[in-house]
Amino acid sequence: MDDLTREFLIESQEGLDRMERRLTELEMRPQDAGLLGDIFRSVHTIKGATGFLGFKRLEKLAHAGENLLGMLRDGKLQATPKVITGLLQLLDGLRSILKSIEGEGVEGEGEDQALIEQLEGLQAAEAAAGVVSSHGAMAAKAVASAAPPPAAPRPTTPPVVDLPSAGAPTAPPAAAAEVARVRSAVVGSAAESSLRVDVTLLNRMMNLVGELVLTRNQILQATANDPRMTMLSRRLDMVTADLRENVMKARMQPVSNIFSKMPRIVRDLTQVLGRRVRLQVEGQDTELDKSLLEAIKDPLTHAVRNALDHGIEPPEAREAAGKDPEGTLKLRASHEGSHVVIEVSDDGAGIAVDKVRGKAIERGLITAERAAQLSERELLQMIFLPGFSTAAAVTNVSGRGVGMDVVRTNVEKIGGKVEIDSRRGEGTTLRLRIPLTLAIVPALIVRTLGQSFALPQGSLSELVHISPAQAIEWIEGAPLYRLRGQLLPLVFLDRLLTPGGQHMDSTERGNFIAVLDADGRRFGLVVDGLEDPEEIVVKPLSAVLKGIGLYSGATVLGNAELALILDPGAIALKSGITLSACDEGDRAAEESGSVDLNTGAEYLLVEAAGRRAAVPLANVLRIEQLPLARIEYIGCRPVVNFEGQLLPVEDAGGAIEAAVGNSSARVIVVVCREAGRHVGIAVSQVLDVAAGGELLEAGTSQLAGGVTLLKKRVTGVVDLSGVPPLPADWNRMEEALA
Amino acid sequence: MSTRSVQHTKKSAGSALVEICSVQIDKNWFGVPIGHILEIVGAVRPRPVPLAPGFVGGLVHYRGDVLTTVNLRQLLDLPPRPGVHDVLVLESGNGSFGLLVDAVGEVLKLSIADFEENPCTLNARRRALFAGSYKLKGRLLAMLDTERLDPLRLAAAQTV
């Protein structure tokens, strides 16, 4: 294919995408001349180019459309839903020809005569005061489904699709941000300030930046003790972070790229299903890495189909239930930390939990006794299991039993998470939580067999240290650990990696359990040691090593050591950890349990210089283990520099003091969030997590503040707000101290 | 065998010279056509990969990529040698891979007239690794068949 044709294809596809958006908007505002002009131009541009490229079939079809659009633009015709349906069919026709040109280089064999006749019919019929033309079978079919009574030239039904963000007929704000939109006639002014870049070039840049991040990590580690290098390495750190952010930004595309496909899907589906639905879109400007955007396109479409088919009821049913006959489907995208959250919510019937229960028992996914014990929330999670569908009838829209588990699998494949919330009679909300980027992932570095392995943080739910005294329990050779009363299946990483090798008896050494949750499989991975968490750059493995099936890639750590990235899902499969809804249920029960019983919040039990204290778990952000050298002092206040951010460290327990003088000592800092700032608590050991019990003062029966009952021992709660803030002006403080 | 011998020679001239890089494994020297070598990386410590096939010598970091290396010692039934290795980065149809050797020697300019195919008495295992040999003054230099050393082909050969 020559460059000219390729360029023509890209431009035409962009034009058609825009036309699709405009057409659904046109249905709202049939009189809008700007919209009509824009749609006309898209088709006209295609027709213009086909002439000298010699695509006869395309030219003929585009010509028929152009005629119809010309009449609309000149006000000789009304843009009725019927006309719009016809134009959407024209759009599909043009698209399929373009697709065939792209794939095979030729227009392909196809008959457009029926469509052309239909378009001509629309011109004639509409001009003659809206009498339905009998031209072509397709026209008749379109009319039958598109539907206002033939006598009415204007639609009496309220518009099906509503795009609140669509304002004036200028380009949506998203289009300006979209590099690929350069040449469109509408965004003329943006053309000078943006250019089209090949995605492979951006991928290459992302790889190089990843390389730079690695080199930076190594330089930071190597120069940590050299004061002369401090300024230089800090500068390198900043520039690298900046560069990485900008290259990532260049790969970002607004979610409007996929949201804009939804009005059409909603329009078509509502007609097929006989629903009346208003689509609301929010946060279209939210940006996401291009590869991730591609990856969530299918799950999102699936979720929208599900919401229309199973969620929103037919108008009569809604009216009977006292609801607005027109349902609302809401698409919302927003940033939440390092994730983008995409919500698909409907105000439909909600999920019938008893139906879910019945289905789950019928399909053998769960026993009847077990089902009776599960709460509604736990039962809801069952819809993510493979082979689950509550649709009474299999329609061609959804209900083939390949629904939500596919959504979940696809989203989890890119490191995301899916949550569902449903209220009977009020609606369902599906939440997709997507990481911002794929190339660089936060990971925990663990050690086993004297080697480092990277464990993606996404599937890590907690870390447990087991001392030699706390025995792992065994049932017929299967190791288990009692985690807060629940049995957790364990996988020993060393045994897994060296089958048949000699292994230390686990009871003789201290171990760490990384509690993992991979695609609904929950288990504990036993490793020998933990290192710092690191942001790692994922490098692909060669086919031979991929074939082992336990590693998802490799990475270079800050100390220049290579580490294999473990794939928790594959480990679970290989070790025979079963997918079970019970685990989900247990967690939900745990979560809800802590609320229902109201036994007070959970606490992190720590020990500093021999004394125990409790830190409210809700405030704990993370636990860092640092070499003593990382603790610096401003005056006599210990602080830690985390990538340019200063963290005040409270050492009331004397954990740092106790370690001073021992240059190889490491200090554990519990990083907490407190009223908009972060503070660190220096401790010598983190013991456990436990729910606190209330203590009442004898005599007064008043709640005792500042203490809680942890593991049957009265424990003081660390007062985070009591940690004094860092002074605003360092110099003044230094002076004051001097 | 005759088809394979041609690929290591320059086809342009009948009596042209070819450049061969000599590498040492244990006490023996082998030849690798220089055109197949992308780069030679010295003194690396490959990172072992648990559960990998035996011929995999581990991973090395090479220009932003993670290379799978082939352990020639294992293929030649020689005892493993701990410590640092030199790595020849070789290109294959499926991307590049590394070849672990004990040391890299000099680059020899040899006449293709001195090339001879594998002797029929060579054991089958080595016949699969060698492309033939060059007759040097006083010794023979066995040529490694770089295409057959591709990890994917080695893996395929193992499963058969």
Side-chain angles (χ1 to χ4, degrees):
Chain A
M1 198 191 305
D2 58 296
D3 286 350
L4 205 61
T5 313
R6 192 173 293 118
E7 194 142 310
F8 161 72
L9 283 174
I10 295 174
E11 267 176 34
S12 306
Q13 270 147 6
E14 282 169 9
L16 290 180
D17 285 351
R18 198 170 55 246
M19 174 172 164
E20 190 167 34
R21 286 198 293 273
R22 293 284 179 267
L23 277 173
T24 43
E25 286 171 37
L26 187 68
E27 201 149 31
M28 318 289 325
R29 304 190 301 277
Q31 310 287 6
D32 195 321
L35 280 178
L36 280 167
D38 202 9
I39 298 167
F40 181 81
R41 267 197 301 279
S42 302
V43 178
H44 182 74
T45 315
I46 293 175
K47 199 195 100 178
T50 49
F52 64 86
L53 285 170
F55 295 128
K56 291 273 176 284
R57 195 181 147 200
L58 204 55
E59 184 178 9
K60 230 167 130 191
L61 187 56
H63 180 74
E66 198 189 33
N67 284 344
L68 179 60
L69 282 164
M71 289 180 75
L72 284 168
R73 190 184 54 169
D74 301 340
K76 290 180 193 154
L77 261 186
Q78 288 288 346
T80 59
K82 189 158 45 122
V83 171
I84 289 172
T85 304
L87 287 171
L88 284 170
Q89 279 167 359
L90 163 74
L91 184 85
D92 293 341
L94 292 173
R95 266 204 187 130
S96 76
I97 302 178
L98 286 174
K99 204 170 167 194
S100 140
I101 295 176
E102 191 175 9
E104 295 130 41
V106 290
E107 290 175 292
E109 296 299 311
E111 195 42 70
D112 311 312
Q113 202 48 43
L115 183 53
I116 292 171
E117 270 176 27
Q118 183 199 342
L119 291 171
E120 281 165 358
L122 281 170
Q123 287 173 40
E126 293 292 312
V131 178
V132 184
S133 137
S134 58
H135 279 288
M138 280 174 89
K141 212 175 98 206
V143 170
S145 61
R154 297 289 314 276
T156 50
T157 45
V160 200
V161 176
D162 179 18
L163 266 178
S165 76
T170 51
E178 200 182 329
V179 182
R181 284 262 166 270
V182 181
R183 294 191 180 221
S184 71
V186 199
V187 218
S189 61
E192 283 104 58
S193 59
S194 54
L195 69 148
R196 198 173 281 181
V197 178
D198 198 335
V199 176
T200 52
L201 181 65
L202 285 176
N203 289 346
R204 176 93 191 103
M205 277 169 74
M206 197 65 212
N207 282 345
L208 287 173
V209 166
E211 218 28 49
L212 190 62
V213 168
L214 289 178
T215 317
R216 175 203 63 177
N217 290 353
Q218 289 170 23
I219 287 193
L220 288 186
Q221 285 202 0
T223 61
N225 298 321
D226 187 348
R228 286 168 305 174
M229 293 296 286
T230 316
M231 281 311 291
L232 274 177
S233 52
R234 195 159 296 169
R235 176 101 193 108
L236 176 70
D237 190 18
M238 274 168 52
V239 173
T240 311
D242 241 22
L243 181 66
R244 186 183 125 187
E245 195 175 307
N246 279 295
V247 171
M248 267 165 66
K249 243 187 224 159
R251 293 172 52 91
M252 294 291 197
Q253 287 193 306
V255 291
S256 62
N257 278 16
I258 48 172
F259 277 13
S260 62
K261 308 256 185 267
M262 298 305 160
R264 168 82 191 272
I265 293 171
V266 171
R267 181 188 192 275
D268 290 356
L269 283 181
T270 46
Q271 290 181 359
V272 174
L273 298 167
R275 306 281 202 271
R276 279 172 55 194
V277 177
R278 184 173 55 236
L279 178 66
Q280 278 181 17
V281 184
E282 268 177 56
Q284 293 212 65
D285 303 342
T286 314
E287 291 188 324
L288 202 56
D289 191 279
K290 186 180 162 60
S291 54
L292 293 173
L293 208 56
E294 289 292 313
I296 60 164
K297 199 164 124 191
D298 286 348
L300 197 65
T301 312
H302 213 102
V304 167
R305 284 164 168 267
N306 253 322
L308 290 176
D309 197 14
H310 306 316
I312 294 174
E313 319 89 322
E316 313 81 59
R318 291 182 65 89
E319 249 171 346
K323 292 204 249 184
D324 184 349
E326 188 180 42
T328 308
L329 179 67
K330 226 188 262 179
L331 286 178
R332 209 168 73 86
S334 62
H335 275 286
E336 208 170 273
S338 60
H339 284 80
V340 166
V341 176
I342 296 180
E343 274 182 12
V344 181
S345 48
D346 63 64
D347 63 347
I351 297 174
V353 175
D354 37 322
K355 260 199 212 164
V356 172
R357 185 183 289 127
K359 198 68 136 195
I361 296 169
E362 181 196 318
R363 297 264 154 107
L365 300 168
I366 191 172
T367 61
E369 298 81 55
R370 175 79 190 154
Q373 294 165 3
L374 290 180
S375 73
E376 291 206 350
R377 221 194 114 163
E378 291 157 33
L379 280 165
L380 266 187
Q381 307 303 323
M382 313 273 317
I383 67 161
F384 289 117
L385 296 181
F388 194 92
S389 174
T390 53
V394 171
T395 64
N396 61 354
V397 180
S398 51
R400 291 186 182 159
V402 287
M404 302 311 287
D405 67 307
V406 175
V407 172
R408 173 154 105 170
T409 316
N410 283 350
V411 172
E412 286 189 347
K413 218 181 272 167
I414 54 170
K417 277 199 158 44
V418 186
E419 293 155 19
I420 192 155
D421 239 336
S422 182
R423 270 163 208 270
R424 193 90 181 92
E426 287 174 41
T428 307
T429 299
L430 190 74
R431 216 169 282 116
L432 314 183
R433 203 176 282 275
I434 317 288
L436 281 178
T437 176
L438 264 188
I440 299 173
V441 294
L444 179 78
I445 313 301
V446 299
R447 285 192 77 82
T448 283
L449 302 168
Q451 296 183 11
S452 298
F453 294 88
L455 206 50
Q457 296 266 24
S459 50
L460 183 67
S461 48
E462 66 181 297
L463 287 167
V464 181
H465 177 244
I466 41 171
S467 54
Q470 284 170 290
I472 288 171
E473 295 170 79
W474 298 79
I475 295 179
E476 292 294 316
L480 295 160
Y481 179 71
R482 233 179 263 221
L483 179 66
R484 293 192 286 281
Q486 302 277 345
L487 285 180
L488 181 76
L490 294 181
V491 176
F492 286 89
L493 188 57
D494 54 352
R495 280 161 210 249
L496 183 72
L497 295 181
T498 51
Q502 290 292 312
H503 305 286
M504 255 198 287
D505 190 354
S506 59
T507 50
E508 285 168 18
R509 54 178 179 170
N511 269 324
F512 289 93
I513 301 177
V515 183
L516 301 173
D517 183 0
D519 312 337
R521 293 160 213 265
R522 195 166 147 88
F523 66 102
L525 186 69
V526 184
V527 298
D528 293 348
L530 301 180
E531 283 173 28
D532 294 340
E534 243 181 78
E535 290 207 317
I536 58 167
V537 180
V538 181
K539 306 276 182 197
L541 286 176
S542 64
V544 173
L545 300 185
K546 242 182 247 159
I548 302 172
L550 285 181
Y551 314 114
S552 57
T555 189
V556 185
L557 301 179
N559 57 10
E561 192 190 346
L562 278 171
L564 289 157
I565 303 169
L566 297 170
D567 180 345
I571 291 176
L573 277 178
K574 195 149 187 157
S575 318
I577 305 285
T578 49
L579 181 89
S580 71
C582 313
D583 282 337
E584 301 245 358
D586 292 340
R587 243 173 318 144
E590 255 173 48
E591 283 164 30
S592 55
S594 61
V595 178
D596 293 346
L597 300 172
N598 201 18
T599 50
E602 282 194 295
Y603 291 92
L604 188 71
L605 186 60
V606 297
E607 189 186 82
R611 279 184 304 150
R612 289 181 164 208
V615 183
L617 194 63
N619 295 51
V620 175
L621 289 171
R622 60 184 193 277
I623 300 169
E624 298 265 2
Q625 198 182 33
L626 306 166
L628 192 62
R630 280 286 302 275
I631 309 271
E632 298 172 75
Y633 289 89
I634 299 174
C636 54
R637 287 286 305 278
V639 293
V640 180
N641 176 1
F642 276 117
E643 286 153 20
Q645 297 187 333
L646 271 189
L647 179 81
V649 178
E650 178 61 36
D651 188 30
I656 298 178
E657 242 170 77
V660 166
N662 181 359
S663 59
S664 62
R666 295 177 80 82
V667 181
I668 299 169
V669 175
V670 181
V671 182
C672 306
R673 191 203 322 265
E674 193 273 321
R677 64 180 178 136
H678 292 180
V679 297
I681 308 293
V683 300
S684 37
Q685 224 183 332
V686 175
L687 299 171
D688 202 355
V689 173
E694 287 171 2
L695 287 167
L696 302 177
E697 197 182 339
T700 62
S701 293
Q702 278 181 354
L703 211 60
V707 290
T708 184
L709 191 67
L710 275 191
K711 301 203 150 188
K712 297 179 186 160
R713 281 173 64 173
V714 177
T715 313
V717 178
V718 177
D719 179 16
L720 294 172
S721 59
V723 179
L726 288 173
D729 189 335
W730 313 111
N731 297 330
R732 204 162 339 131
M733 177 167 164
E734 297 263 0
E735 276 163 30
L737 285 165
Chain B
M1 285 299 144
S2 57
T3 48
R4 247 200 299 142
S5 62
V6 188
Q7 71 201 30
H8 295 292
T9 59
K10 279 189 181 160
K11 288 168 191 161
S12 50
S15 61
L17 294 174
V18 283
E19 289 186 304
I20 305 289
C21 178
S22 61
V23 296
Q24 191 190 17
I25 292 146
D26 207 41
K27 296 182 190 82
N28 302 319
W29 288 88
F30 298 93
V32 179
I34 211 145
H36 293 213
I37 304 174
L38 285 176
E39 194 171 331
I40 296 169
V41 187
V44 291
R45 205 179 286 271
R47 196 233 187 259
V49 181
L51 300 182
F55 62 82
V56 172
L59 296 175
V60 295
H61 185 206
Y62 167 69
R63 297 202 174 204
D65 280 324
V66 173
L67 277 191
T68 304
T69 60
V70 170
N71 184 355
L72 211 46
R73 277 180 164 263
Q74 195 267 346
L75 288 174
L76 296 172
D77 300 319
L78 292 169
R81 172 176 166 273
V84 296
H85 294 75
D86 287 346
V87 176
L88 302 187
V89 182
L90 302 175
E91 195 160 27
S92 78
N94 315 302
S96 39
F97 66 95
L99 186 65
L100 296 184
V101 298
D102 293 0
V104 175
E106 56 191 336
V107 173
L108 308 165
K109 282 201 173 128
L110 305 173
S111 162
I112 58 160
D114 293 331
F115 183 78
E116 213 149 310
E117 285 172 23
N118 283 327
C120 49
T121 50
L122 194 68
N123 83 36
R125 183 136 183 206
R126 286 172 199 230
R127 206 156 52 203
L129 297 174
F130 300 159
S133 54
Y134 278 96
K135 293 168 281 185
L136 308 187
K137 246 182 237 156
R139 63 180 171 129
L140 289 173
L141 184 70
M143 294 296 296
L144 293 173
D145 186 338
T146 54
E147 283 192 16
R148 294 232 173 175
L149 289 173
D150 182 329
L152 267 185
R153 282 191 68 170
L154 288 173
Q158 259 193 358
T159 52
V160 170

